[in-house]
Amino acid sequence: YERTLRKLPAHFSALVINEALSIVEEQAIWGEARPLPFPICDDPSDDIFIAASISGNVDAIVTGDKALLRAHVPEIKIFRPAEFLKLL
């Protein structure tokens, strides 16, 4: 997540990016991902992120990954980093 946030366009200040990183670090919960019953992403290596998100009951995924952004998971919102920062 840190690498992705650091790639944001220049119109986001370092302060905004660091604030977003702080929120993620403070709110993150580590856990185990249960296997998915079937593939969800175009890129099978990304299914682990969906599985971890479902297992962790997350509300959202913030990513720049194209396959994850195309994934359809009704119970999880998937945002580009710039979209997420606008919500803060």
Side-chain angles (χ1 to χ4, degrees):
Y1 63 90
E2 185 173 348
R3 185 183 70 213
T4 299
L5 280 173
R6 300 267 179 228
K7 290 181 181 178
L8 288 173
H11 63 274
F12 289 105
S13 70
L15 180 64
V16 169
I17 292 171
N18 287 333
E19 181 180 332
L21 287 171
S22 293
I23 291 168
V24 169
E25 289 169 356
E26 290 170 13
Q27 300 296 320
I29 298 171
W30 300 97
E32 298 269 336
R34 290 186 293 277
L36 295 173
F38 51 85
I40 292 178
C41 289
D42 298 345
D43 180 351
S45 68
D46 287 334
D47 279 339
I48 189 67
F49 300 107
I50 299 293
S53 300
I54 291 170
S55 295
N57 286 330
V58 303
D59 296 320
I61 296 173
V62 180
T63 183
D65 185 273
K66 291 176 183 170
L68 279 171
L69 288 165
R70 287 189 302 269
H72 179 70
V73 184
E75 62 268 29
I76 300 171
K77 295 177 182 139
I78 303 176
F79 296 101
R80 294 179 185 280
E83 294 171 326
F84 178 74
L85 285 176
K86 290 177 185 176
L87 299 173
L88 300 180

